[in-house]
Amino acid sequence: MLMTLTTLILAAVILALLAVAMGWILGWANRTFHVEVDPKLQAINEALPGANCGGCGFVGCGEYAEAIVAGKTELTLCAPGGAGCVELLAKIMGIEVGDSLPYRPVVHCVARYNDRKGHNEYRGEATCQAANMIADVQGCAYGCLGLGDCKAACKYDAIKIEDGLSIIDYTKCVGCKACAKVCPRNIITMTPFKSERILVIACSNQDFGKDVKEVCNVGCIGCKACSRLSDVFQFKGEAKLPSIDYDSYRPGMDFQEVMDKCPMKGMLYVGKPTDRDIDATKDEEAPQVVTVDFKTTVDDAEWRG
Amino acid sequence: MDIFTNLILIFVSAALINNFVLHYFVGICPFLGVSRKVDTAFGMGLAVTFVISIAAFLSWTFTYFILRPEAPLPSWVWQTVSGEPTATVDLSVLSYIMYIFVIASSVQFVEMYVRKFFPPLYKSFGVFLPLITTNCAILFACLEIMKNLQDPTNLWGLGQAMALAVGGGVGFTIAISIMAGIREDLDLCDVPKPLRGAGIALIVAGIMAMAFMGFTGVDKGLEGALSALLK
């Protein structure tokens, strides 16, 4: 009896002593080994959305915060945080930041499956990455493959594949660039949304009009009608496709005439639909013009060797 | 068997023959969780080795003086209370709670220390240290040490405890690094869909465990070689 009691008491006392000792040691260590953390760093960490999407180019929000504090990077890189976040960051860092536009991805292709020609049977892995390595999966070497790499990359469920065309839901999109990075044909570009609804060019095909017509019902044939009507549409250098100059683009501009003139109806408004268009066009998206990058575009000269 | 041979045998046995991960299946969580890249896997291995050594040192000390049967401290208290000069107390029941407690607080302490004085080391270890605080591989090492402190006529010294701990840590590092190397290449393989991810990782771990069974019996040969060497 006495034995049991002593064991019990001994056990209790030893554990209690240990707890007190360890608590004291840890408390002492906490004070002695205290490391000053920059209060700015903490504030920035709290201001960032914590989505860890990697859109800023850093591994996570924590690393981006460190880079900001170290002054190594811009404040405007966080797409999910948007303008509010930039404002907060600027306040914390005591820096003035000009207007920052939300950048949103735009798919520069409008052709649904039946609009595209030259389909061949493809039985490979069902990713654009794989299909893009094979010539002649479809006629157009620039357009959307519709196998959904962007959809898989999207953490926000903002992309759907409709009739073999990827469609972005701008109410869900936060602009993390994941889709733009993953698209093997580089037809998704980040576009500055000057208003909630902007005009974009919905084709990426850089070939001559005749060749475009062979592979697509709706592709841009490069007739330059748009650039004759407005300076916003530019054919840069050798480009056979207009690009919209978003520096001179203003949200209030009226492009109805241009859109009527365009024989392929190759430009679209994307983003938030107006009441008038809400039924007609709310799910369509259109691209801004892509700069050609032959390293990453499938083109017979590059691939058939 | 002299002490040197004994230490080497304990070390090799913990590292290869009775590898913690592949023979006892402890520490599977970090083994699967942190084995995607060789770099981080190796870092994790080093962190485990580090923590396991500290834990072994502390648990040996506590077990030897307080927890084992006939441990000096509680026995002395009991003898003073009861007046029987030969009586002993066995506090082994406290081992689990004591080990977890000691490991957790020592790791916390080490983390703070490293953070203050070796910031680069903290940056590379920092992520892993809290993760392995209550890792079962570490508790397993402590319990192994306790097992060898039960028989008062044949007690392990601190050296043997440390050999086991460092050997176990090295074995863990070997296992997790090999695993990470395999998994890096596995990413390029066409794995059947139902097996992707954890499934194929567990299969690989199982095959590795079978491969490590090949070390069984190495201890006898090693012992012979060492005794011939020391003669």
Side-chain angles (χ1 to χ4, degrees), chain A residues 245-259:
Chain A
D245 176 13
Y246 286 101
D247 288 337
S248 48
Y249 178 91
R250 293 283 169 272
M253 288 176 164
D254 182 16
F255 291 110
Q256 198 53 52
E257 191 194 352
V258 186
M259 290 172 78

Side-chain angles (χ1 to χ4, degrees), chain A residues 56-104:
Chain A
C56 51
F58 292 90
V59 176
C61 294
E63 286 219 350
Y64 181 44
E66 273 173 35
I68 292 178
V69 172
K72 285 185 206 148
T73 184
E74 304 282 314
L75 299 184
T76 50
L77 299 181
C78 183
C85 176
V86 176
E87 223 169 87
L88 267 176
L89 294 182
K91 213 166 165 194
I92 295 165
M93 295 298 293
I95 302 175
E96 291 278 316
V97 178
D99 283 350
S100 78
L101 295 169
Y103 275 72
R104 293 289 179 266

Side-chain angles (χ1 to χ4, degrees), chain B residues 51 54 102-112 129-130 132-133 138:
Chain B
V51 173
I54 294 170
V102 167
I103 296 167
S105 21
S106 62
V107 170
Q108 199 63 48
F109 182 83
V110 169
E111 191 185 345
M112 286 191 247
L129 277 178
I132 45 186
T133 313
I138 306 209

